[in-house]
Amino acid sequence: MDIRSAYIHVPFCIHKCPYCDFVSYEKREDKIDEYIQALCQEIQVVSQDKSDQIVPLQTIYFGGGTPSLITPDHITMVLLKLAACFGIDDHAEITLEANPGTVSLDTLAAYHAAGINRLSLGIQSFSDPILRRIGRIHDAKQSLLSLSDAREAGFENISCDLMTGLPGQTLEDAMESLAILIASGIPHISHYALTLEEDTKFYDMYNKHEDLLPDSETEREMYHQMIRELVSSGYHHYEISNCALPGYESRHNINYWKANPYHGFGVGAHAYRKNCRLGNTNDLDRYLQIMKLPVVSTDEWIASCDAISSGESEKEFMLLSFRLMEGVSEEEFLGRYGRRMESIFAKELAGLTRKGLIESENSHYFLTQKGLDFANEVFREFV
């Protein structure tokens, strides 16, 4: 399959949030210029792999870390390199993640001028006590200013993240934060429950003290009330944790959930190419050193390479597609694999249907309302 998406990882942060397990580094901003050069080198080398057909990119996503720590000039350099090596579709979705504490009207306008046409703001909450508790560097006032500045800078396609299940958070807190975004007309809203990831400060703090967090019933009520409010306000609930006004769904993330291939560039980035899941080294200094070599081989910075068999690919397609509210398309599965999903997964589909976790309609299998709360049980059937 053609590769039409690229993820760019920017691993720099002013302060690493205590719940975050993504590859990121504090106080390494002195390496940003060198890192951008290294990114461009990786893009160049990957594009020279003649086993991949080069087609224009339709989605590009700058994630992190805190991508808004790199300058608009850096964005321009990376986009020019991608355009030269792969091409960029005229209507490509180009997203930049940003922290409200790291942007201004001037920088946002410059990002927009550089080619960013979709902004993803990590709001998380509009409660200052909660923001302090989860280690964010911004406050509610800065979030509101960033939303206003983004609009003034020319951004129409704006996504905001909220979190639920946070220490000290109540249902009222969660709904107040959501109400602010809806009133602001933000066209895409994601809301994710706090997950205690190993090797994070929050894991050490709360793994054995989950009584200090909202209980599971409260967190689920946050989720369902937020979905109900978004849908009643005209948003399309298109993925488990994502809602959008019609036409503002994340094309880049849908590519993931459709199990399509994608490029991944940068420290800790992952890619799906040539039926392999590839993971880049997490070592920033090693990555920078490799990219300075006179001759660079892709084997040198790739830390993991997992070949995906046809059977594993079928399972991944099922698992990821069940994240989408439209579910798994029988026609799409048949067109991709040349086999009917019922002939391969009859036992799994029947069992999940009996449990009331999935149902089928119009040649699609999809999660039920009960299945939204027990989605991991559905996913496990295809791991």
Side-chain angles (χ1 to χ4, degrees):
M1 298 177 64
D2 295 336
I3 305 177
R4 300 181 182 272
S5 294
Y7 173 78
I8 312 294
H9 191 68
V10 181
F12 303 100
C13 284
I14 294 174
H15 170 72
K16 190 175 178 74
C17 296
Y19 54 82
C20 176
D21 71 335
F22 294 126
V23 177
S24 60
Y25 301 91
E26 294 180 334
K27 300 178 176 62
R28 298 298 303 273
E29 290 94 328
D30 60 309
K31 296 291 185 181
I32 288 179
D33 286 342
E34 187 178 349
Y35 184 75
I36 297 301
Q37 294 290 340
L39 266 176
C40 290
Q41 174 71 344
E42 182 187 359
I43 292 167
Q44 181 72 43
V45 172
V46 170
S47 72
Q48 293 169 349
D49 185 344
K50 301 305 181 184
S51 63
D52 286 328
Q53 181 178 353
I54 301 297
V55 296
L57 298 170
Q58 294 182 348
T59 72
I60 300 168
Y61 194 103
F62 290 84
T66 308
S68 49
L69 289 180
I70 66 176
T71 68
D73 285 344
H74 291 142
I75 295 288
T76 297
M77 289 175 61
V78 174
L79 290 180
L80 285 173
K81 178 58 70 171
L82 288 170
C85 291
F86 299 103
I88 299 176
D89 187 88
D90 289 342
H91 302 288
E93 175 193 271
I94 305 176
T95 303
L96 177 77
E97 287 183 352
N99 187 306
T102 63
V103 291
S104 66
L105 174 57
D106 288 343
T107 57
L108 288 168
Y111 285 132
H112 190 267
I116 300 297
N117 56 30
R118 182 175 184 271
L119 192 68
S120 178
L121 286 169
I123 301 291
Q124 316 312 354
S125 173
F126 283 99
S127 164
D128 286 341
I130 290 175
L131 289 170
R132 286 192 293 271
R133 246 174 251 134
I134 64 175
R136 301 295 288 178
I137 65 171
H138 67 273
D139 58 22
K141 184 178 179 180
Q142 286 175 303
S143 291
L144 290 170
L145 180 60
S146 293
L147 292 177
S148 174
D149 286 345
R151 285 277 169 74
E152 189 173 346
F155 286 100
E156 295 182 3
N157 196 349
I158 302 171
S159 176
C160 290
D161 289 348
L162 294 176
M163 293 182 69
T164 57
L166 299 173
Q169 187 181 41
T170 65
L171 176 60
E172 290 72 23
D173 288 328
M175 296 307 294
E176 285 174 9
S177 291
L178 179 64
I180 292 171
L181 292 183
I182 292 175
S184 299
I186 298 303
H188 188 282
I189 298 174
S190 303
H191 53 99
Y192 300 97
L194 172 68
T195 302
L196 298 178
E197 303 287 357
E198 292 189 36
D199 300 321
T200 65
K201 292 180 181 179
F202 263 29
Y203 184 86
D204 295 335
M205 292 170 63
Y206 295 113
N207 185 48
K208 295 183 180 179
H209 301 282
E210 292 194 23
D211 56 301
L212 300 176
L213 301 173
D215 59 40
S216 58
E217 291 79 9
T218 300
E219 190 283 317
R220 285 288 83 193
E221 185 58 25
M222 291 178 186
Y223 172 83
H224 286 293
Q225 280 210 29
M226 291 172 84
I227 293 295
R228 286 194 292 269
E229 185 64 27
L230 283 160
V231 171
S232 69
S233 299
Y235 288 77
H236 173 211
H237 181 204
Y238 73 99
E239 191 269 346
I240 289 178
S241 299
N242 288 268
C243 294
L245 295 177
Y248 287 94
E249 295 84 358
S250 170
R251 289 161 51 195
H252 186 84
N253 286 340
I254 288 174
N255 187 69
Y256 291 151
W257 297 320
K258 290 289 188 179
N260 292 326
Y262 56 90
H263 293 293
F265 300 111
V267 168
H270 287 79
Y272 182 27
R273 297 190 291 115
K274 296 182 291 187
N275 297 317
C276 289
R277 297 280 180 191
L278 306 171
N280 284 1
T281 177
N282 291 347
D283 187 326
L284 175 61
D285 293 319
R286 173 171 167 74
Y287 178 81
L288 295 175
Q289 182 181 20
I290 289 171
M291 294 306 166
K292 289 179 181 176
L293 296 173
V295 178
V296 179
S297 166
T298 55
D299 294 338
E300 297 182 64
W301 73 80
I302 293 176
S304 62
C305 178
D306 298 321
I308 306 298
S309 68
S310 58
E312 289 169 328
S313 177
E314 290 167 344
K315 290 180 181 179
E316 279 197 355
F317 181 81
M318 298 292 290
L319 185 157
L320 293 169
S321 294
F322 268 122
R323 291 196 62 89
L324 294 165
M325 301 311 295
E326 70 178 27
V328 191
S329 162
E330 296 181 27
E331 181 180 355
E332 194 171 346
F333 189 95
L334 179 63
R336 181 177 293 204
Y337 298 107
R339 300 199 290 172
R340 296 182 59 81
M341 74 170 82
E342 291 89 345
S343 68
I344 307 167
F345 300 113
K347 178 182 176 182
E348 293 85 350
L349 293 171
L352 292 169
T353 300
R354 281 196 303 273
K355 292 179 180 179
L357 301 181
I358 66 171
E359 58 185 329
S360 61
E361 184 179 323
N362 298 327
S363 300
H364 282 72
Y365 283 89
F366 50 89
L367 295 177
T368 62
Q369 284 298 304
K370 179 181 177 182
L372 289 172
D373 287 330
F374 295 94
N376 285 337
E377 185 172 342
V378 176
F379 301 155
R380 279 195 293 270
E381 290 292 327
F382 305 99
V383 173

